Amino acid sequence: MNVFTRRSFLKSTAASAVVLGGAAVYWPRSGFAQPTGGMTNLLKIPALETGHAEGGVRVYDLTMQNGVTEFFEGYQTPTSGINGSYLGPTLKVRDGAAIRINVSNTLEEPSTLHWHGMHLPARMDGGPHQVVSPNETWASEFTIKQKAASLWYHPHLMGKTAEHVWRGMAGMFIVEDAESDALPLPNNYGIDDIPLVLQDRIFTRDGRMDYGLSMHSRMMGMVGNVPFANGTYAPYFEATTTKLRLRILNGSNASTYNLALDNGANFMQVATDGGFLEAPVEMNLLQLAPAERAEIIVDLVAAEKVMLLNMAIGGGSSGGMMSGENNNAPAFPFLEIRAAAKITQSADLPSHLTTMEWLNEADAVKTRVFNLEMQMGMGAMMGGGNSHSINGKVMDMARIDEVVNLGDTEIWELRNVSMMPHPFHMHDVQFQILDRDGQPPAPNEHGRKDVVMVNPDEVVRIIMRFEDYADANAPFMYHCHILEHEDAGMMGQFVVV
Ligand SMILES: [Cu+2]
C-alpha cells in the first residue's frame, strides 16, 4: 500500500509552495507554506515537568502568560503559553499519585486549563465552570486513577477556547504506570520518546497570528496554512536510536491530519487516546482528528532521513464551505527525522502491550442519542454564536443536559446529521468504540478513546462506564473538538449522580 513517494509528494505540492524569507512574510489563506529552504530548525522539546513533593502530594506549578515567540527569524509574534511564551511543559504523573496543579493566570483576561482525557472529579476538570480570573491561582487536586496514556491540557473557557488554544496554550500530560514501566518501549524523554504537538496557524504579513473568524472559519473551524511541530516551523529531529516513539497530539483547532512517512515505510501504533492498544498495529497512514492522540514507533537505520508528512486526503480544506467536504489539511511536511550515522539499537517491540477490559453491550442500561447538527443557512452563518448544536440545543452552562447514574454502563449513539465530520469528545471517562455504521472500528481505534471522529451521516456507537466522582452540582462536558464548533454551541453537560 505504498501509494506515494517523496518525489511525487514534492512534485504535487510545488504548485502551492510559498517562499519563506525576504522582506515580507505572508501566507495566503488558500495554501500551506512549504518550507522551501528545507527543514532548518531543531525541533523544540517541551520541558518535562515532574512536579515537586509537598507532603504526600506531587505539586505542579503552571502559569498562563502572554509573550512573544520568534517562529520565523526576525519576526516577534505575540503569543500565549504556559510557563513560557508558546505551548507549555509536558507534565508527567504516575497512576495512584495524589497531585495538585496550581494554575496561575497572568493573562489580562479569564481562562481555564482543562486536563483532557483525565478521569477526575468534575470540579477539578478545568472546564468552563472552573474559571481562573486574572492574577488568581486555581488549585486542581485529584488522585491519578488511570492507565498509562498520553493526555494533554488546554484552556476550556466558554466561548473562548478556540482563541486561547490558537494563541498557544496547550501541553502534553503523560501518565505512567507499572505496565508502561515494564514494557520495553522507548521512554527516554526528548531522546527516543518524543512529544509531538502538531498544529497549523495563519500569519499576517507582519508576523502576527491574529485570531479572526471569517464566515468560512466560523462554519468550518479555523484552519491554518503554516504547520508547526511543538511550535517549531520546518523542524528536524536528530535521532540516535533505531526506534523512535512519537507521542503525537493533533493540537490544531480544526484540521484533520493524515500522517505518513515519505519513504512509504510502515510504522507501529502502540497507543491511542487513553493508552496502550492490546497489540501494536502496523500502518502507513494515520488519521488524527483534532484532539486525538496516537503513540507510534518509527524504525530507523543509521544516517537515513525520513519525513513525517501530512498527506492530502480527499481534497484538503480550502474549497467551498457548502460542499460538505472534510477538514483534511493539504499535503505538507511536519517533521524531518535525521538518524545519526551511529545509532543505538533499541529493544524489540513487544507483541503484547496491555489487556483491555472490554465493556459488554449487554451490560449497558441505557442508550443515549446525540445528534450533531449545523445550521447551514445564511442566517446561521451571519448570526455567529448559535449555528452549531447537539440535539437541537446550543450549549448553556446553566442547563444540565444529561443525568447519568453512578456505576452505570451506557451506550452513546453519536449521529452526525450535518455535512462535515465532527470529532466528538467527552470528559470524565475513556470510552470504547462499539461500531461505525454497524461495522467494528479499525484496529488502531480498538482501545481507550476520548475523541472519536463522526463522519457525515455516520452513526458511531461508543460504550463507557461511569465508575467514580458523582456530583449532582458539577457537570462534565461533551462536545465537538473542532474548537470553533464547541465555542459556537456544539457542547452539552452531564452530571453523574
Ligand atoms: Cu464540529
Side-chain angles (χ1 to χ4, degrees):
M1 272 225 322
N2 298 336
V3 293
F4 45 84
T5 64
R6 185 190 201 109
R7 186 172 301 276
S8 66
F9 162 72
L10 290 172
K11 193 186 283 180
S12 68
T13 59
S16 61
V18 175
V19 176
L20 177 64
V25 177
Y26 175 63
W27 297 269
R29 177 70 181 79
S30 57
F32 263 73
Q34 302 297 334
T36 53
M39 307 302 264
T40 51
N41 301 308
L42 186 63
L43 177 73
K44 292 174 190 160
I45 304 292
L48 184 64
E49 180 57 71
T50 56
H52 61 273
E54 284 184 23
V57 179
R58 293 302 298 177
V59 178
Y60 300 76
D61 295 315
L62 298 181
T63 301
M64 296 186 280
Q65 58 192 75
N66 291 322
V68 292
T69 303
E70 191 170 292
F71 296 110
F72 315 102
E73 200 179 338
Y75 290 88
Q76 303 291 320
T77 302
T79 54
S80 302
I82 296 121
N83 298 359
S85 70
Y86 192 81
L87 296 179
T90 297
L91 307 184
K92 195 175 230 185
V93 299
R94 289 196 62 82
D95 181 35
I99 71 165
R100 178 167 75 244
I101 310 171
N102 297 315
V103 178
S104 298
N105 182 356
T106 66
L107 309 168
E108 285 159 4
E109 60 188 305
S111 192
T112 84
L113 277 187
H114 161 60
W115 324 117
H116 180 122
M118 196 69 83
H119 180 50
L120 79 183
R123 290 174 193 279
M124 300 300 163
D125 195 31
H129 295 273
Q130 287 85 46
V131 175
V132 190
S133 298
N135 303 313
E136 288 194 349
T137 298
W138 170 66
S140 176
E141 294 184 86
F142 55 97
T143 297
I144 307 292
K145 191 176 179 183
Q146 193 138 354
K147 294 275 196 177
S150 296
L151 312 178
W152 66 300
Y153 61 93
H154 61 80
H156 209 308
L157 187 68
M158 183 72 191
K160 285 279 189 181
T161 294
E163 182 180 347
H164 287 190
V165 172
W166 182 266
R167 289 202 323 238
M169 288 188 282
M172 299 286 286
F173 204 147
I174 296 174
V175 179
E176 300 282 16
D177 63 7
E179 197 167 63
S180 64
D181 287 349
L183 285 170
L185 295 172
N187 66 355
N188 195 351
Y189 184 84
I191 305 297
D192 60 8
D193 181 356
I194 310 298
L196 210 54
V197 181
L198 302 182
Q199 298 174 310
D200 51 74
R201 295 290 184 265
I202 305 172
F203 286 79
T204 59
R205 199 176 288 273
D206 56 357
R208 290 172 295 116
M209 45 174 221
D210 299 341
Y211 187 80
L213 285 179
S214 64
M215 208 165 69
H216 182 269
S217 53
R218 195 180 296 282
M219 290 306 285
M220 304 297 289
M222 197 73 163
V223 174
N225 52 16
V226 177
F228 288 129
N230 297 346
T232 321
Y233 178 65
Y236 67 89
F237 176 78
E238 292 179 327
T240 54
T241 56
T242 59
K243 287 192 189 300
L244 196 58
R245 178 186 193 174
L246 300 176
R247 299 176 188 255
I248 305 176
L249 159 68
N250 181 339
S252 76
N253 279 38
S255 300
T256 293
Y257 299 135
N258 296 280
L259 304 171
L261 301 174
D262 70 334
N263 58 6
N266 292 346
F267 49 85
M268 294 290 197
Q269 184 172 342
V270 294
T272 182
D273 301 332
F276 293 121
L277 298 161
E278 288 198 309
V281 175
E282 186 168 10
M283 40 210 302
N284 66 2
L285 186 63
L286 167 66
Q287 182 180 80
L288 278 187
E292 279 189 305
R293 286 89 64 208
E295 294 182 29
I296 67 170
I297 307 290
V298 176
D299 282 305
L300 299 168
V301 298
E304 79 169 325
K305 290 183 178 178
V306 183
M307 196 82 87
L308 178 69
L309 302 175
N310 186 70
M311 304 300 295
I313 306 286
S317 60
S318 57
M321 59 187 285
M322 305 308 283
S323 64
E325 67 188 303
N326 54 47
N327 261 28
N328 287 332
F332 56 84
F334 259 127
L335 174 71
E336 185 175 59
I337 301 164
R338 301 176 184 170
K342 281 192 173 174
I343 55 176
T344 306
Q345 184 70 39
S346 307
D348 288 344
L349 206 55
S351 58
H352 175 82
L353 298 166
T354 191
T355 300
M356 287 285 295
E357 185 208 342
W358 296 110
L359 297 176
N360 191 341
E361 197 176 332
D363 293 334
V365 298
K366 193 175 182 74
T367 296
R368 295 175 201 263
V369 174
F370 297 88
N371 289 306
L372 310 178
E373 306 146 339
M374 295 171 72
Q375 278 74 51
M376 299 298 278
M378 217 48 203
M381 279 187 280
M382 305 300 281
N386 56 0
S387 56
H388 304 69
S389 55
I390 298 176
N391 290 344
K393 296 178 288 185
V394 170
M395 167 70 176
D396 180 351
M397 284 177 64
R399 183 191 68 226
I400 301 298
D401 298 285
E402 309 290 338
V403 178
V404 170
N405 292 316
L406 184 68
D408 278 1
T409 298
E410 294 197 359
I411 294 170
W412 287 19
E413 188 171 303
L414 314 172
R415 297 176 164 267
N416 186 342
V417 296
S418 79
M419 294 168 74
M420 66 177 288
H422 300 285
F424 182 90
H425 168 55
M426 67 182 295
H427 295 205
D428 181 21
V429 291
Q430 294 286 328
F431 56 78
Q432 296 163 15
I433 302 173
L434 284 174
D435 45 44
R436 293 178 169 277
D437 284 339
Q439 301 300 310
N444 72 316
E445 287 195 313
H446 204 46
R448 293 178 195 86
K449 295 281 294 169
D450 57 56
V451 181
V452 61
M453 185 64 114
V454 188
N455 292 301
D457 299 324
E458 193 176 33
V459 178
V460 177
R461 294 194 313 146
I462 61 177
I463 187 167
M464 73 292 299
R465 188 168 63 213
F466 299 89
E467 307 185 278
D468 303 292
Y469 310 130
D471 185 340
N473 298 311
F476 292 103
M477 307 296 127
Y478 54 88
H479 57 89
C480 176
H481 222 289
I482 291 177
L483 299 180
E484 285 72 20
H485 292 180
E486 171 190 336
D487 281 347
M490 195 180 274
M491 178 156 64
Q493 308 191 98
F494 71 95
V495 290
V496 180
V497 298

